[in-house]
Amino acid sequence: GYDVFVDVICTPTHTIRTHSPWLRPAGIQWDSLSPEKLSAVGVLGSMKANLEAELGRQLPTAPSEVLPPVAFRRRGRGGRGRGRGHH
């Protein structure tokens, strides 16, 4: 793995702006996202499919991987329910 600088970190309860002075990559690094990650973050998978249709070609994708299990969150203490993976 490697580090990527970000502008914003979003959690279920907070949005944190980093105000980082470091240079960030331009756009999304599609070759760093596996099919499993694209599926887990549906909006990224949709964005990639739309861009590929617009360009008329496939964009690079990282190799397949097994993602770690997703934690469930309990209600209460300001929580808004369970994390993704709740059925």
Side-chain angles (χ1 to χ4, degrees), residues 25-69:
I28 296 171
Q29 295 178 323
W30 297 110
D31 58 344
S32 296
L33 298 171
S34 68
E36 293 77 15
K37 285 181 183 172
L38 291 168
S39 178
V41 184
V43 68
L44 285 177
S46 296
M47 286 174 62
K48 185 174 187 276
N50 290 340
L51 186 56
E52 288 173 334
E54 185 179 314
L55 295 173
R57 64 179 174 88
Q58 293 275 314
L59 294 171
T61 302
S64 289
E65 64 181 319
V66 176
L67 298 178

